[in-house]
Amino acid sequence: MFRRIWTIFKRDLKVNAKDAISLYILIIPILFAILINVFSPGINDTTINLALLTGDNESKIEYFEKFSKVELFNTEDEIKERVEKRDAIIGIIPEKETDYLLIQGNEPQEIVDYAKLLKSFYELNINIKDSNSTLIEFNRTVPPLKKTLVNISILFISILGGMLIALNIVEEKVDHTLSAINVTPTSRVTFLLGKSIMGIILSVFGSVALIGITGFGGINILQLLLVVLITSLLSILVGFIQGLINTDIIGAAGSIKLLFLPLIAGVLAIEMLGDKWQKYFYWNPFYWAYKGNDLILSQIGTWRQILTYSIFILGLCAIVYVLLAPRIRKGLE
């Protein structure tokens, strides 16, 4: 049995190594990690943007750069043109012995207030050392946006695992080798296990590579692997179904994309909706996977919490399997 599983896996590996779409899917986790590192802000970055003149007071520019992101321009017209762009940025332009703030009018009020306070603090020569406040922190050093992007990417990679399985099955149908399993000693269970390996490998090693490159190497890797493996079951099931009912690669890949809808729904429910709406998303396995991954990436998840979420995901995948199993058996006949 294991030798036949290994033979099926080696065949898929050779096919994927020659197929451009499969190769692209295999390197996507690395691309995700690079893009997240490039574009996500660090924990110390600020979202307050200020526009100042290049020839303005150097000490003022240095002061503002400590508490905001400063862009320098040569003329007031350049600052005006920059302020009128789509994002929120406030111009601070010198006028006689003081400055005036230049805004579009649609900036969030808290950003405008922050700019006013920053200007006042500079004029009063107030620094951080002058504060009498006591800082108490929870020692959480993970940037929230970066954690969210990594979490979504892990779920996305699990779907790509299912897509890879669908592509491999479609390739078997194109080569007219799928029906051959019925006249060989290879059982359907052996065939399914062999075909699942590529999807599982992509999910596991893609997720591990992602967290390693993005700097989450200190998390509990066993907890992450547990959630990733169980979440991959859903993608694998859908991958088999789409591979069996589609006759071309584009159709199979397009059908797998439907899984992105429950993925996004689960993320938006947790990030944007209140507690009273959460119960309407309990049916979504990506909802529980996102909650579990969030605890793991924050390094505050206990084994009891992770196991509880994993059981919910496993139960939902079992329901999906009961619904899809007859179609999988029929597709292999």
Side-chain angles (χ1 to χ4, degrees), residues 143-182:
L145 177 59
K146 190 173 187 178
K147 182 183 65 175
T148 300
L149 293 175
V150 171
N151 197 345
I152 295 174
S153 298
I154 291 173
L155 301 181
F156 191 84
I157 291 170
S158 73
I159 294 179
L160 292 180
M163 186 179 293
L164 197 59
I165 292 173
L167 297 182
N168 287 333
I169 293 178
V170 170
E171 189 275 337
E172 293 265 11
K173 294 171 71 175
V174 172
D175 290 346
H176 303 290
T177 56
L178 185 60
S179 58
I181 64 169
N182 295 317

Side-chain angles (χ1 to χ4, degrees), residues 38-162:
V38 170
F39 293 108
S40 65
I43 187 67
N44 294 320
D45 286 349
T46 177
T47 56
I48 307 299
N49 299 311
L50 301 177
L52 280 77
L53 286 173
T54 304
D56 205 351
N57 190 324
E58 288 294 331
S59 63
K60 183 172 67 178
I61 295 175
E62 291 178 3
Y63 184 88
F64 286 163
E65 284 179 337
K66 293 179 183 177
F67 307 100
S68 62
K69 182 178 180 181
V70 174
E71 296 182 29
L72 298 177
F73 299 88
N74 293 322
T75 65
E76 293 184 22
D77 290 337
E78 290 181 3
I79 292 180
K80 181 180 179 182
E81 182 180 355
R82 177 65 183 88
V83 170
E84 289 179 340
K85 289 185 177 179
R86 187 173 182 179
D87 59 340
I89 182 170
I90 298 176
I92 300 182
I93 302 174
E95 186 181 53
K96 297 181 180 177
E97 297 182 355
T98 180
D99 301 296
Y100 69 90
L101 303 185
L102 181 64
I103 62 175
Q104 278 182 298
N106 57 357
E107 291 84 358
Q109 187 59 42
E110 57 270 23
I111 293 180
V112 177
D113 293 340
Y114 182 91
K116 290 178 179 177
L117 285 174
L118 197 57
K119 178 177 173 296
S120 300
F121 289 160
Y122 168 73
E123 292 173 348
L124 295 172
N125 196 26
I126 297 176
N127 291 291
I128 293 179
K129 62 182 181 181
D130 299 318
S131 173
N132 57 2
S133 300
T134 302
L135 182 64
I136 300 176
E137 61 178 336
F138 294 104
N139 294 320
R140 295 180 184 175
T141 58
V142 180
L145 177 59
K146 190 173 187 178
K147 182 183 65 175
T148 300
L149 293 175
V150 171
N151 197 345
I152 295 174
S153 298
I154 291 173
L155 301 181
F156 191 84
I157 291 170
S158 73
I159 294 179
L160 292 180

Side-chain angles (χ1 to χ4, degrees), residues 23 48 139 183 192 195 251 260 281 287:
L23 284 174
I48 307 299
N139 294 320
V183 293
L192 294 176
K195 282 294 179 187
F260 294 152
F281 295 87
Y287 172 87

Side-chain angles (χ1 to χ4, degrees), residues 5-21:
I5 292 175
W6 177 246
T7 302
I8 295 171
F9 167 68
K10 284 197 301 183
R11 183 185 185 282
D12 285 345
L13 190 61
K14 291 179 181 177
V15 171
N16 293 149
K18 299 176 181 177
D19 184 73
I21 296 178

Side-chain angles (χ1 to χ4, degrees), residues 200-254:
I200 294 174
I201 287 178
L202 175 62
S203 299
V204 171
F205 285 94
S207 300
V208 172
L210 177 72
I211 63 170
I213 295 173
T214 52
F216 286 86
I219 65 172
N220 190 321
I221 192 67
L222 293 179
Q223 291 180 345
L224 178 72
L225 290 178
L226 175 64
V227 177
V228 168
L229 285 173
I230 294 178
T231 307
S232 299
L233 294 178
L234 176 66
S235 302
I236 289 172
L237 289 172
V238 177
F240 271 111
I241 283 295
Q242 297 304 326
L244 292 172
I245 66 176
N246 285 281
T247 56
D248 63 276
I249 292 177
I250 301 300

